[in-house]
Amino acid sequence: MTTRPTLRHVVFFSAKDKADIPRIVEGLELLAGIPHSTSFEVRQNTQSDALSSEVDVIVYAEFVSHEALAAYKADPLYEASIKAVRPLRDMRIAADF
């Protein structure tokens, strides 16, 4: 049996203007400096699914507990990332499982 993280955090973003996707990625990469995740990635969507083009950027992180996720969200870098990305993004959908 494979050991899985306690909590996976996935967030999908769409850009208001596709030209801003690199700036969105850059703003989200600030989150990598937060030490509470056990795994962290920011990736631009490859748009390989012809039926779905709404998502431009994905954040994927793993945490050992809900408390670790809460600490991640309380870090000042989290707020800095929000300030950088919010004006550039349209949709934001988060899922924790």
Side-chain angles (χ1 to χ4, degrees):
M1 182 173 193
T2 303
T3 303
R4 297 198 169 189
T6 301
L7 183 62
R8 293 181 212 134
H9 177 67
V10 183
V11 188
F12 300 98
F13 296 87
S14 66
K16 290 180 183 177
D17 180 342
K18 301 297 185 195
D20 287 329
I21 292 172
R23 288 177 58 205
I24 291 171
V25 169
E26 183 179 306
L28 293 170
E29 285 177 340
L30 291 172
L31 300 170
I34 302 173
H36 302 287
S37 63
T38 57
S39 177
F40 179 85
E41 296 180 57
V42 175
R43 296 285 186 262
Q44 185 172 339
N45 189 0
T46 61
Q47 304 290 345
S48 60
D49 185 339
L51 300 177
S52 178
S53 62
E54 299 85 6
V55 175
D56 295 311
V57 181
I58 303 101
V59 171
Y60 175 83
E62 296 175 353
F63 298 89
V64 296
S65 66
H66 289 278
E67 293 78 17
L69 176 58
Y72 165 86
K73 291 181 176 182
D75 191 285
L77 284 176
Y78 189 84
E79 187 62 34
S81 178
I82 289 171
K83 286 181 183 177
V85 172
R86 184 177 279 158
L88 306 174
R89 67 142 170 102
D90 189 19
M91 173 205 60
R92 178 191 178 276
I93 298 174
D96 299 322
F97 62 100

